[in-house]
Amino acid sequence: AQTVTQSQPEMSVQEAETVTLSCTYDTSESDYYLFWYKQPPSRQMILVIRQEAYKQQNATENRFSVNFQKAAKSFSLKISDSQLGDAAMYFCAYRGPNTGNQFYFGTGTSLTVIP
Amino acid sequence: KAGVTQTPRYLIKTRGQQVTLSCSPISGHRSVSWYQQTPGQGLQFLFEYFSETQRNKGNFPGRFSGRQFSNSRSEMNVSTLELGDSALYLCASSLVAAALGEQFFGPGTRLTVL
């Protein structure tokens, strides 16, 4: 089974600074999708950004961007100009072509934004 | 469009009891997945239903079961509750045909087993 590892249980960043959250995964598939989800204290999980493995270009969504290193099986999330509203749990997730609609999630990184 | 809804939002049960949780997906979404979220364990996949059929099942005991109705609404049942079943149960729906496979999550049901 695929595994997703987030090695940073907690991270903190000063407001307006940049922070990078790490994620690695293990798979034998060549085509798959990777996601970063955000879960604020209210508990509603929302999608932050997604990446298709066959695309070499790193995905970007406003202040959020990823560094996708396929050979290294690494998928980090960079948050620029951090805002107080970015404080949340961040989950990295993997979805492959041979696992139906099953998502594999990491254990999450709790991000604190310091004013 | 209305988002994914889950009822109830909070539940308190005692060991040995059973519980049923409900999930209504986004209109048009035919796939519903269930996850158990506990501190330190992250999200653990329970099962996924599509067109009233279970397509995938995670590594959970048979006490955990589910079903999906013709309108895509889904229920999850846990029988003979144990203290370790205390968790946030999340439901997610998706358009199976969507190439990027995004899942939309509900707010969750917080289950406490005493």
Side-chain angles (χ1 to χ4, degrees):
Chain A
Q2 284 72 12
T3 57
V4 178
T5 302
Q6 293 179 252
S7 59
Q8 306 154 315
E10 298 178 346
M11 291 281 285
S12 62
V13 61
Q14 293 280 349
E15 197 174 1
E17 296 295 309
T18 296
V19 65
T20 298
L21 308 183
S22 300
C23 173
T24 59
Y25 56 94
D26 183 27
T27 184
S28 58
E29 296 172 324
S30 59
D31 192 19
Y32 46 86
Y33 307 112
L34 296 165
F35 305 82
W36 278 99
Y37 277 88
K38 171 186 177 181
Q39 188 178 40
S42 67
R43 295 291 181 179
Q44 190 95 33
M45 190 97 73
I46 56 175
L47 179 68
V48 175
I49 198 166
R50 57 191 157 202
Q51 175 81 42
E52 298 152 74
Y54 67 86
K55 287 188 175 180
Q56 293 188 347
Q57 186 174 6
N58 289 323
T60 299
E61 288 286 342
N62 300 314
R63 298 181 295 107
F64 299 87
S65 61
V66 299
N67 183 7
F68 174 48
Q69 302 289 329
K70 191 172 184 179
K73 296 180 183 176
S74 170
F75 181 61
S76 60
L77 174 69
K78 186 173 82 170
I79 305 174
S80 305
D81 185 25
S82 296
Q83 301 175 359
L84 295 178
D86 294 334
M89 280 290 287
Y90 287 82
F91 292 94
C92 177
Y94 170 102
R95 178 187 180 234
N98 299 317
T99 54
N101 222 13
Q102 180 172 347
F103 279 56
Y104 295 88
F105 284 85
T107 51
T109 296
S110 177
L111 179 65
T112 299
V113 180
I114 303 167
Chain B
K1 271 187 180 177
V4 178
T5 59
Q6 292 187 247
T7 57
R9 293 293 308 277
Y10 302 92
L11 265 178
I12 299 177
K13 293 286 188 179
T14 56
R15 280 183 301 174
Q17 288 187 308
Q18 75 161 17
V19 66
T20 299
L21 313 181
S22 180
C23 171
S24 292
I26 292 172
S27 178
H29 286 195
R30 298 167 66 191
S31 171
V32 173
S33 298
W34 289 89
Y35 295 87
Q36 181 194 66
Q37 185 179 12
T38 54
Q41 291 290 319
L43 283 82
Q44 302 289 312
F45 174 76
L46 281 155
F47 30 64
E48 182 220 352
Y49 285 87
F50 174 70
S51 292
E52 303 178 64
T53 300
Q54 188 181 88
R55 291 207 309 179
N56 284 302
K57 190 177 192 303
N59 189 26
F60 277 82
R63 300 186 296 107
F64 292 82
S65 63
R67 59 176 176 169
Q68 187 180 33
F69 302 95
S70 58
N71 62 358
S72 294
R73 188 177 72 85
S74 177
E75 287 182 347
M76 189 191 92
N77 184 274
V78 188
S79 61
T80 319
L81 284 166
E82 301 177 358
L83 295 178
D85 296 333
S86 294
L88 181 69
Y89 289 88
L90 294 170
C91 162
S93 75
S94 65
L95 277 170
V96 179
L100 295 181
E102 177 185 352
Q103 288 195 330
F104 295 83
F105 284 83
T109 294
R110 170 72 63 184
L111 172 65
T112 302
V113 182
L114 303 176

